[in-house]
Amino acid sequence: MRTVLRLTYCLALFWTTNAICQSKMVAIQGDTYIPLYGRDSLQVTISDFDMDIYPVTNKEYLQFVKDHPKWRRSAVLKLFADKNYLSQWGSDTALNNNQSLNAAATNVSWFAAKDYCECQGKRLPTIDEWEYVAMANEKLPDARTLKTYNEYILSWYEKPKTFNNEIGSTFKNYWGVYDLHGLVWEWTLDFNSVLVSGESRKDVDKDSNLFCGSAAIGATDLMNYAAFMRYAIRGSVKARYAMKNLGFRCVKDKKRSTDENL
Amino acid sequence: MKTSNYIAILFVAILALASCKETKSEKDLGTLYQCPMKCEGEKTFDKPGSCSICKMDLQPLSEPTALLADPFEISDTSIFNLTTKWKTEEDQTIELVDLKGKPLVMVMIYTTCKAACPRLVADMRNIAKQIPENKKEDLQYVLISIDPETDTPERLKEFAIENQMDGEQWTFLQGTLSGVREFANVLAVKYKQISPMDFSHSNIISVFNPQGELVHQQEGLGVDNKETVGHILELVK
């Protein structure tokens, strides 16, 4: 009897640690806020939605690639992913020895990330949704004015190779979401709505020949250097790109699914 | 004590039933096989054998069928790999692959735009003007709306007539929000809605060969289009 009981406890422990594979979500309550780059009215209104607690892991992405052969490294269309796609992996359907199953899946293109979420009945978050959840620290839904909040993010930018760390290794924020800062950058659905050109001098000129209506898109709070970095990255990547420090997570609309949160 | 043990066991048993089934296909699937005629669509098999419909031997999927010389084969980088549905200004539903066969000159616009789009449209017309009369029919100009909620087929038709772009070689497309977002990403076009009537967007004209592969992109407004025209003439030669 005692052996059965011990075995049972072991199994219980095993399942609780294993439960991460479920890619659990938490509810995010919508509100109106002012992002770094907003619309003409500056304020952006977010509807209620659910968000993955953790970024998608190597383990989950491995399963996805097994189930959807078109997203294997050797089969993926060049239109949808550049040569870095899953380049860290050992083979089409196996990780490399130095990669952890519980690390965030990276080297994934936007097309792949988008399809992954759609296959789960979810979608990628919009920039405004992502930034809304990411402005929280452990205690406050909007910690952007706190020195500690900004210092934490900036200190992450200085740490090398955090993409190898396991999910859940950073702080749990106000909403119960982990790893928005401190692990990997993340894809957003409308990342290509950031109209910042690569060169800072161009942005100052608001080059109206390259971007129609570019005068309307100034940043609201240039002191927020950490957020500015995120927008700059989004403005510089293309959807085919796969980068080793760029992962993703999914969200889900509360009621019936709408196409984009516009 | 005994009861609590039983409760523990019961609890874990329930957990076992409710836990995720992700262990099911841990094993490597290995090579996949597919009917060369695709009798059953994209269906794949884990073992070699023959197709139940046409009886041909299944081919391993990992070896890409080297048919690059075939003009009807869609290559890896072709936009015809996109399967999203679009509506034309004539209210017909098409996929991009339906535009296959002619070189394509594409631009993303929206019809309520007051600033850059009229100039972008003018740039398109300027390009069209420089194509010799006898080659005019060999090209297709495609204008894709980034504002699919406003730009219905009727609206696009009106816009086409207003701008004298109602000929056979001009096509206007209305997509879905996600279809447009995806296609913009293929073209590396950036856009953002800044108010209900206004968008910021990059001004890029893209040239594709008849197989849907990107040949050239012209960025900016009113730029010298000599290079773009050169690429187009190369394609219709």
Side-chain angles (χ1 to χ4, degrees):
Chain A
M1 186 61 216
R2 189 157 284 176
T3 357
V4 176
L5 193 68
R6 276 190 199 139
L7 197 71
T8 320
Y9 282 130
C10 279
L11 280 173
L13 202 71
F14 174 73
W15 272 309
T16 34
T17 49
N18 212 23
I20 292 171
C21 72
Q22 296 267 19
S23 80
K24 278 196 215 135
M25 305 185 94
V26 283
I28 310 292
Q29 202 181 351
D31 198 357
T32 297
Y33 81 111
I34 299 180
L36 183 61
Y37 288 96
R39 286 163 52 116
D40 54 347
S41 61
L42 299 178
Q43 293 205 337
V44 164
T45 303
I46 302 294
S47 316
D48 294 356
F49 64 100
D50 291 329
M51 185 180 241
D52 283 354
I53 295 178
Y54 303 103
V56 172
T57 61
N58 278 327
K59 186 180 184 176
E60 290 165 326
Y61 200 77
L62 198 59
Q63 191 57 46
F64 171 71
V65 166
K66 284 176 181 171
D67 293 343
H68 300 86
K70 70 170 177 172
W71 288 114
R72 290 178 190 195
R73 193 169 68 178
S74 62
V76 72
L77 293 174
K78 290 198 190 73
L79 188 68
F80 298 139
D82 69 7
K83 60 178 185 342
N84 291 324
Y85 178 72
L86 302 182
S87 59
Q88 311 260 58
W89 286 25
S91 76
D92 255 4
T93 50
L95 297 179
N96 221 332
N97 291 337
N98 60 6
Q99 285 184 293
S100 159
L101 278 169
N102 283 327
T106 57
N107 276 314
V108 171
S109 72
W110 177 84
F111 293 104
K114 178 173 178 274
D115 201 49
Y116 177 97
C117 291
E118 283 169 5
C119 284
Q120 326 275 319
K122 304 178 189 174
R123 61 174 173 82
L124 286 172
T126 64
I127 294 178
D128 289 341
E129 286 167 344
W130 196 97
E131 289 289 327
Y132 176 71
V133 183
M135 66 191 186
N137 68 357
E138 290 94 332
K139 300 231 165 59
L140 298 167
D142 183 359
R144 288 179 296 176
T145 51
L146 292 185
K147 203 168 166 231
T148 49
Y149 165 84
N150 289 303
E151 277 172 357
Y152 175 84
I153 302 173
L154 290 174
S155 74
W156 162 44
Y157 292 173
E158 291 165 6
K159 276 183 219 142
K161 295 191 175 174
T162 49
F163 58 88
N164 281 333
N165 296 350
E166 301 211 337
I167 56 158
S169 59
T170 72
F171 71 93
K172 175 183 186 174
N173 82 2
Y174 172 84
W175 302 104
V177 177
Y178 284 86
D179 303 328
L180 288 166
H181 307 293
L183 207 62
V184 290
W185 304 91
E186 293 181 14
W187 280 113
T188 46
L189 185 62
D190 54 349
F191 79 95
N192 69 330
S193 66
V194 178
L195 287 92
V196 192
S197 67
E199 204 186 345
S200 60
R201 280 167 295 177
K202 270 189 186 167
D203 299 334
V204 178
D205 287 336
K206 305 202 187 299
D207 197 328
S208 55
N209 275 342
L210 292 181
F211 298 121
C212 162
S214 61
I217 43 156
T220 52
D221 177 15
L222 282 173
M223 293 306 287
N224 196 344
Y225 178 73
F228 188 78
M229 283 288 287
R230 288 195 295 276
Y231 281 89
I233 290 273
R234 289 170 192 142
S236 67
V237 294
K238 290 184 179 172
R240 287 176 67 229
Y241 287 10
M243 290 162 37
K244 67 179 171 197
N245 54 358
L246 182 58
F248 68 103
R249 76 178 71 214
C250 311
V251 298
K252 204 173 181 174
D253 289 307
K254 266 293 185 207
K255 288 164 204 148
R256 64 192 170 82
S257 69
T258 49
D259 200 347
E260 259 183 19
N261 194 39
L262 288 176
Chain B
M1 184 59 205
K2 266 262 169 70
T3 0
S4 74
N5 286 355
Y6 283 124
I7 289 168
I9 292 165
L10 191 71
F11 174 71
V12 169
I14 291 165
L15 246 182
L17 289 170
S19 73
C20 61
K21 58 178 196 316
E22 54 84 41
T23 42
K24 111 187 148 343
S25 44
E26 270 303 307
K27 67 172 195 300
D28 199 322
L29 290 171
T31 328
L32 286 170
Y33 296 84
Q34 194 176 40
C35 169
M37 303 305 291
K38 296 197 175 168
C39 292
E40 293 175 77
E42 294 296 320
K43 187 173 174 188
T44 53
F45 304 85
D46 351 326
K47 278 188 236 115
S50 58
C51 171
S52 60
I53 296 162
C54 68
K55 308 292 177 213
M56 284 177 78
D57 285 350
L58 298 176
Q59 284 178 350
L61 257 189
S62 53
E63 288 167 34
T65 36
L67 286 171
L68 283 175
D70 184 351
F72 300 107
E73 186 72 9
I74 295 172
S75 84
D76 247 25
T77 51
S78 170
I79 50 166
F80 302 142
N81 287 305
L82 299 168
T83 53
T84 40
K85 300 258 190 295
W86 303 80
K87 280 210 159 172
T88 69
E89 81 284 5
E90 308 292 347
D91 206 17
Q92 280 171 319
T93 303
I94 64 162
E95 286 181 24
L96 290 175
V97 69
D98 296 326
L99 300 168
K100 195 164 80 167
K102 285 183 186 179
L104 304 171
V105 185
M106 291 193 163
V107 69
M108 300 192 86
I109 52 141
Y110 65 105
T111 63
T112 47
C113 173
K114 295 287 175 285
C117 304
R119 288 172 67 194
L120 261 183
V121 169
D123 280 347
M124 287 288 275
R125 260 202 307 263
N126 273 332
I127 290 170
K129 243 185 248 167
Q130 294 178 55
I131 307 301
E133 204 58 45
N134 60 340
K135 303 283 186 206
K136 278 209 172 352
E137 301 291 304
D138 302 345
L139 275 172
Q140 196 68 38
Y141 302 92
V142 186
L143 293 91
I144 295 159
S145 171
I146 51 171
D147 185 10
E149 282 171 339
T150 312
D151 292 336
T152 57
E154 302 80 60
R155 179 85 195 93
L156 291 170
K157 179 77 179 173
E158 276 169 38
F159 185 82
I161 294 169
E162 268 167 43
N163 288 281
Q164 285 128 38
M165 291 171 149
D166 199 27
E168 276 287 301
Q169 65 266 52
W170 298 93
T171 304
F172 290 77
L173 295 179
Q174 176 202 29
T176 58
L177 282 172
S178 80
V180 171
R181 182 67 67 192
E182 182 180 66
F183 192 63
N185 274 330
V186 168
L187 297 183
V189 165
K190 298 179 178 295
Y191 67 93
K192 179 182 177 76
Q193 189 173 33
I194 46 177
S195 75
M197 290 298 274
D198 262 318
F199 287 78
S200 299
H201 61 96
S202 18
N203 301 318
I204 296 179
I205 293 177
S206 312
V207 180
F208 293 87
N209 68 15
Q211 290 84 43
E213 292 151 349
L214 186 65
V215 174
H216 177 72
Q217 285 197 313
Q218 165 185 318
E219 197 172 352
L221 275 181
V223 297
D224 184 7
N225 53 25
K226 206 181 282 169
E227 209 187 328
T228 310
V229 172
H231 280 286
I232 297 170
L233 290 177
E234 196 68 24
L235 288 171
V236 291
K237 225 171 22 188

